[in-house]
Amino acid sequence: MTTRTVLVINSGSSSIKYQLVDPDSGASLASGLVERIGEETGAITHRHDGEKFELVEPVPDHGFGLAEVLRIFAEQGPDLDEANIVAVGHRVVQGGHYFSGPALVDDDVVAKIEELVPLGPLHNPAHLKGIEVARRLLPDVPHVTVFDTAFFQDLPEEAARYGLNRQIADKYSIRRYGAHGTSHHFVSGEVSALLGRDDLKQIVLHLGNGASASAVVAGRAVETSMGLTPLEGLVMGGRTGDIDPAAVFHLARVAGMGIDEIDRLFNRESGMKGLAGDNDMREVWKRIDAGEQEARDAMDIYLHRLVKYVGAYTAVMGGLDVLTFTAGIGENDDRVRAELCGRLAHMGIRFDAGANAVRARGPLTISTPESSVIVMVVPTNEELSIARQALTLI
Ligand code: ADP
C-alpha cells in the first residue's frame, strides 16, 4: 500500500506545533515546533529520522512560520510530495455546542470557530490563524478540524448543565464543555480495543500539566471534570481545579483583586505550583523526599481530589471496569499511580507493584488478576487521534 500521511497542526497564540503522521501504522514521520511567533527572535525545531534541526530567526507571524516549516521539510525531509499528505488535521480547543465530531473546514466551520471565541478566548483565535495560513499554503488537500470538546458534546444534560439560573446559562452559553476530549476518546478507545470489549465502564485520568478525568460507558462520555473552561475539576500543575466560586467574590471584596488578577491566580499560580512551589511532579517528589511538608501536603490534596472523582464517577456509572492513567504524570509517575491505587483499595483494586514499576512505551496493566477493577497505563496520542479522525471525513 502506498503511504499516506496527515499533517497535524496545533496552532497556539505564539507557537505552531506540527506532526506528520502515518495514520495506518501510527508512526510519526516528523514533528516540530515554531516558537515565539511575533517576538524579537523566534525558533523552529524540526525532528525527523532521529535528527533534530534547529533554526533561530525572527518569526513575525503564523504565515511566515508555516512557510518556513514547509521549506524545512523540503530541505531536511521528509519530502512532502512523496509523503502523500491526504489531509491537514487542525486541533481546535473549543467547539461549543456545534461540533460532536471532526469537521471538514469550509467558511461556515471557520465562522463557527470564530463565533466561539468568547468561550475559547485564548485558543480559538490562534487556531483560526493556523487554519487560515495552512489553507493558503496547502490549498490542494482537505483541512479538517478536530475539537477538544467534541467527545463531551453529547454529555447527558444532567452532567452538562450547572445548577445555574437557566435563562442566564442559556443566554451566555454557560455549560460544561470539557476539554482533553481527543485524549479521553483515544485512550478509552484503545482500552476497549485492547480488552476486546465495547461495553466497559471506564474512568480515564489524563494527568499532565493540565489534568482531567472522564467517565465513559460503552464508548460514550457520561462525565468529565473540566467544565465551561479547563479550570474546573482536578488539581493541576498551575490550576486550582474545583473551588467555591465565592472565593472570587471574597478576593474581589476583601483583597481588592481584579478579575484578570484572579484569573491568573486560579489558572497559573495555584495547583501544584501554588501549593508546592513547582508545577512539575518530578520536582514535587524531590521536595517531598527532601522532607518539605508543604510538598507532601500538596500531593495529598492532589490525590484526595483524584479519589473523590474516581468515587463519584464510579457512583455515576453504577460500577467501574477499568481505570486508566495517561499523559505526562499518568504515564510516567509510578508513585502517583501507586499512592492513588492504595487509597482505592477499598474498591477492590489490587495493584501490581512490579508491573507498575515497569517503564513501558506501550499500554500496561498494573492491576493483579484478582483486582475487581482493571487498572491500566495507556499512552495518549492526540496527534494520531486527530490524524485518524481527519481521515474519517475524506
Ligand atoms: P501537557 O498538559 O503540557 O500536555 P504533559 O502531558 O506533557 O503535559 O505532562 C507534563 C507533566 O508531566 C510535567 O509537568 C510533569 O509534572 C509530568 N511528568 C513528566 N515526566 C514525568 C516523570 N518521569 N515523572 C513524574 N512526572 C512527570
Side-chain angles (χ1 to χ4, degrees):
M1 192 169 76
T2 49
T3 319
R4 52 181 188 166
T5 60
V6 176
L7 181 64
V8 176
I9 294 179
N10 181 356
S11 174
S13 57
S14 66
S15 70
I16 304 172
K17 252 197 229 172
Y18 62 91
Q19 195 172 127
L20 187 66
V21 178
D22 177 339
D24 301 305
S25 72
S28 163
L29 305 179
S31 63
L33 174 67
V34 184
E35 290 172 278
R36 300 197 295 278
I37 297 173
E39 292 179 31
E40 217 160 285
T41 52
I44 306 179
T45 315
H46 179 80
R47 291 169 203 271
H48 161 55
D49 244 354
E51 302 277 333
K52 182 164 137 187
F53 171 80
E54 285 175 288
L55 178 65
V56 175
E57 64 170 352
V59 181
D61 53 40
H62 286 66
F64 182 87
L66 191 62
E68 282 294 85
V69 169
L70 298 180
R71 189 178 65 76
I72 292 168
F73 264 105
E75 266 176 22
Q76 307 289 328
D79 185 322
L80 288 182
D81 291 326
E82 282 172 22
N84 184 24
I85 299 181
V86 293
V88 178
H90 295 268
R91 174 190 182 225
V92 177
V93 165
Q94 183 53 266
H97 63 284
Y98 285 125
F99 301 101
S100 59
L104 204 53
V105 177
D106 58 16
D107 294 344
D108 178 53
V109 167
V110 168
K112 284 181 171 138
I113 297 171
E114 184 124 44
E115 193 190 317
L116 293 167
V117 164
L119 290 173
L122 300 179
H123 293 104
N124 277 25
H127 301 325
L128 285 166
K129 274 189 199 156
I131 291 167
E132 191 261 313
V133 301
R135 282 175 96 191
R136 187 152 45 79
L137 293 170
L138 297 161
D140 301 324
V141 284
H143 290 249
V144 176
T145 45
V146 176
F147 300 89
D148 264 13
T149 48
F151 189 49
F152 303 121
Q153 206 267 342
D154 189 29
L155 279 186
E157 183 69 2
E158 61 194 29
R161 191 176 272 280
Y162 291 110
L164 177 66
N165 176 285
R166 188 179 289 275
Q167 280 73 38
I168 293 290
D170 289 348
K171 183 168 178 196
Y172 295 103
S173 306
I174 297 175
R175 53 165 259 147
R176 310 188 57 251
Y177 295 101
H180 289 153
T182 305
S183 177
H184 288 279
H185 178 54
F186 179 81
V187 170
S188 56
E190 289 284 292
V191 169
S192 289
L194 287 162
L195 299 179
R197 283 180 57 184
D198 53 17
D199 61 337
L200 295 167
K201 292 175 177 165
Q202 301 192 44
I203 293 176
V204 176
L205 300 177
H206 176 113
L207 308 179
N209 199 28
S212 59
S214 68
V216 180
V217 177
R220 180 186 173 199
V222 297
E223 252 297 357
T224 192
S225 59
M226 284 177 167
L228 174 71
T229 77
L231 181 59
E232 193 179 344
L234 304 176
V235 176
M236 313 186 204
R239 295 191 189 113
T240 56
D242 294 336
I243 181 169
D244 184 341
V248 178
F249 320 148
H250 184 77
L251 288 169
R253 289 179 189 133
V254 178
M257 288 173 80
I259 286 296
D260 292 334
E261 211 179 336
I262 300 172
D263 188 333
R264 202 166 46 247
L265 173 69
F266 285 13
N267 273 296
R268 294 181 188 277
E269 290 153 18
S270 296
M272 298 312 273
K273 180 156 184 256
L275 290 167
D278 204 293
N279 66 327
D280 192 312
M281 253 344 166
R282 288 163 290 200
E283 192 55 38
V284 176
W285 282 118
K286 269 190 210 152
R287 292 177 186 209
I288 291 172
D289 293 340
E292 280 187 34
Q293 191 56 43
E294 277 187 0
R296 183 63 248 183
D297 292 344
M299 184 62 70
D300 289 337
I301 295 166
Y302 184 87
L303 291 166
H304 179 80
R305 186 75 53 86
L306 284 168
V307 169
K308 285 212 296 191
Y309 269 89
V310 172
Y313 286 3
T314 302
V316 163
M317 293 190 289
L320 176 63
D321 297 312
V322 193
L323 172 68
T324 306
F325 291 90
T326 194
I329 297 165
E331 291 168 33
N332 297 299
D333 196 327
D334 52 315
R335 292 172 79 180
V336 162
R337 295 195 303 253
E339 290 208 15
L340 180 64
C341 288
R343 289 179 184 223
L344 297 171
H346 63 88
M347 289 172 64
I349 287 183
R350 295 292 170 266
F351 169 71
D352 182 337
N356 184 49
V358 173
R359 275 285 161 103
R361 282 187 159 262
L364 198 68
T365 299
I366 59 169
S367 50
T368 67
E370 296 76 46
S371 183
S372 60
V373 175
I374 299 171
V375 185
M376 300 186 78
V377 180
V378 175
T380 191
N381 192 337
E382 291 169 87
E383 287 79 12
L384 178 58
S385 177
I386 289 172
R388 288 191 173 152
Q389 290 189 58
L391 272 192
T392 63
L393 289 190
I394 59 164

